[in-house]
Structure formats: structure tokens, C-alpha cells
Amino acid sequence: MAITAFGKAVRKARIDTDETMVSMAENLGVSVAFLSSLENGRKKIPTEWVRKISDFFAERGKIIKDLQNLADVSNENVAIDNLPFEHQMLISHFAKTRLSPEQLEQVAALMKQLEETNQGKEEK
């Protein structure tokens, strides 16, 4: 099975922090086989493990951007059950709409702009 987007990000972080899969598994208290299965998409990636892996690398000075989103893509699943109805409807509509690469870039730019606006409000 091919390495997932999540797995690529984790593997790059391991290389950047001079960690091996063995040392990472030992530090996290799991088997190498378990970590390998997350990277290679043989197992779904639980949210708690996204947090643990993110924290593991943060402690080593490496922040993996959008790790939960990468896990969601690798899992081929995004939880919407705790979102407001309007968000659920928007996600459903977006998932069924075929957009060109240019349109996707525009949506991504808008989402980034909205996220930055919301972050600015939270900091005040």
C-alpha cells in the first residue's frame, strides 16, 4: 500500500528531527508496526494519535502543519457530527461539486483569508 499524505508528513518530520521509526515508537510506547500501519494507510488514524504525534514533534521543535487535515484525507473521512447544520450542508455541497483547479485555488484562498480573520478576532 502506498504511503498516505499523513504518512509523508510524518516521515518528513522524522527525517527533519533525526528520529527513526524505532525511536519514535519507543517514545510513544507503541510498536513500529503500529506506526508503520498509520503511515501506510493500513489503519485509520485516530484523533488521539494525531495529537500524540503532533506533540511528539512539537517537543522536538517541529510543527507539522495541518496534520489533522492530512489524517482526515488519509482516512477518507471527515467528522461532521459536531458541526453546526450550516457547516454540514456546506461540506456536503462542496463534496459533490466538481470545481476546476482554478476554482479550488480561489476557494482555498478564501478559506485561508477567513481563517486569518478569525484568528485575528480570537487574539483580541
Side-chain angles (χ1 to χ4, degrees), residues 49-95:
W49 277 98
V50 175
R51 256 190 311 278
K52 287 179 182 183
I53 291 169
S54 182
D55 291 346
F56 173 84
F57 287 113
E59 290 169 2
R60 287 150 181 79
K62 178 71 177 175
I63 304 301
I64 306 175
K65 189 175 180 213
D66 297 324
L67 191 59
Q68 182 61 60
N69 290 338
L70 293 171
D72 291 342
V73 170
S74 296
N75 288 340
E76 298 179 343
N77 185 2
V78 177
I80 64 171
D81 53 338
N82 291 323
L83 296 176
F85 178 75
E86 294 81 7
H87 284 104
Q88 292 178 8
M89 292 299 291
L90 184 59
I91 290 166
S92 175
H93 182 70
F94 184 78

Side-chain angles (χ1 to χ4, degrees), residues 102-121:
E102 295 81 17
Q103 290 170 319
L104 288 171
E105 285 180 26
Q106 290 173 346
V107 170
L110 176 61
M111 294 301 295
K112 183 176 181 181
Q113 179 184 6
L114 292 171
E115 185 177 347
E116 289 170 355
T117 299
N118 287 341
Q119 285 176 350
K121 288 179 183 177

Side-chain angles (χ1 to χ4, degrees), residues 1-20:
M1 185 165 278
I3 189 168
T4 64
F6 174 88
K8 287 178 185 177
V10 170
R11 185 173 289 175
K12 181 177 182 332
R14 277 194 291 105
I15 292 167
D16 291 348
T17 58
D18 293 323
E19 292 285 343
T20 65

